[in-house]
């Protein structure tokens, strides 16, 4: 009972299968491009670089990443949009006088204090005891 299809029908079936395969491959390509776009976003890249204890500074996807993450992302966006701001600030800090050394120390202390505060909040939200 095995009937052979005519060559015209066989060719049409093969063409439709190839069209369907191309459509599936296009959909897979679009999906992979969307995933790559998310993976290469500045927020995701910064999250992958930072240690897990400091990831609350970036992104704000969870309940613990509220205000500080918004400030960090606004600062990052500002520095990307206006590179002269970063250049001016770095020129201010790189001068060799006593004021700049004091500013460097104060900025380092502020960053350390903020990182410690975020780490403690993260520890408290995870249920750990300080």
């Amino acid at each position: 009972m095995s009937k052979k299809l005519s060559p015209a029908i066989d060719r049409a079936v093969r063409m439709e299968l190839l069209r369907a395969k191309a459509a599936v491959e296009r959909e897979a390509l679009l999906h992979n491009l969307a995933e790559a776009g998310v993976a290469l976003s500045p927020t995701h890249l910064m999250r992958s670089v930072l240690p897990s204890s400091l990831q609350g500074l970036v992104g704000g996807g969870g309940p613990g990443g509220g205000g500080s993450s918004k400030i960090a992302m606004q600062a990052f966006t500002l520095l990307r949009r206006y590179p002269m701001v970063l250049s001016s600030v770095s020129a201010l800090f790189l001068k060799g006088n006593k004021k700049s050394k004091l500013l460097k120390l104060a900025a380092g202390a502020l960053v350390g204090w903020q990182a410690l505060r975020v780490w403690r909040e993260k520890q408290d939200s995870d249920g750990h005891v300080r």
Side-chain angles (χ1 to χ4, degrees):
M1 283 196 104
S2 64
K3 287 186 177 181
K4 271 197 151 177
L5 298 176
S6 69
I9 294 175
D10 191 33
R11 182 174 175 229
V13 168
R14 274 191 266 143
M15 285 180 65
E16 284 301 316
L17 284 173
L18 289 173
R19 285 185 183 131
K21 181 180 177 182
V24 168
E25 288 176 353
R26 279 193 297 271
E27 286 294 320
L29 179 64
L30 288 174
H31 180 72
N32 289 338
L33 284 174
E35 283 181 351
V38 170
L40 294 175
S41 68
T43 302
H44 192 269
L45 288 174
M46 287 186 67
R47 277 187 178 176
S48 67
V49 171
L50 289 176
S52 62
S53 60
L54 296 178
Q55 284 183 0
L57 290 172
V58 179
S68 63
S69 66
K70 288 181 184 177
I71 292 171
M73 283 312 294
Q74 285 175 350
F76 182 71
T77 303
L78 178 74
L79 293 178
R80 280 186 56 202
R81 186 175 293 165
Y82 304 108
M84 287 299 293
V85 173
L86 180 62
S87 177
S88 301
V89 170
S90 66
L92 222 154
F93 282 128
L94 290 178
K95 287 184 180 177
N97 59 16
K98 286 186 177 184
K99 287 183 184 178
S100 69
K101 289 180 183 179
L102 185 61
L103 281 174
K104 286 181 195 177
L105 184 62
L110 179 65
V111 168
W113 178 73
Q114 287 291 338
L116 180 65
R117 187 178 61 84
V118 168
W119 180 73
R120 283 186 177 166
E121 286 176 2
K122 185 135 181 104
Q123 292 288 45
D124 289 342
S125 69
D126 289 344
H128 293 95
V129 179
R130 281 194 253 177

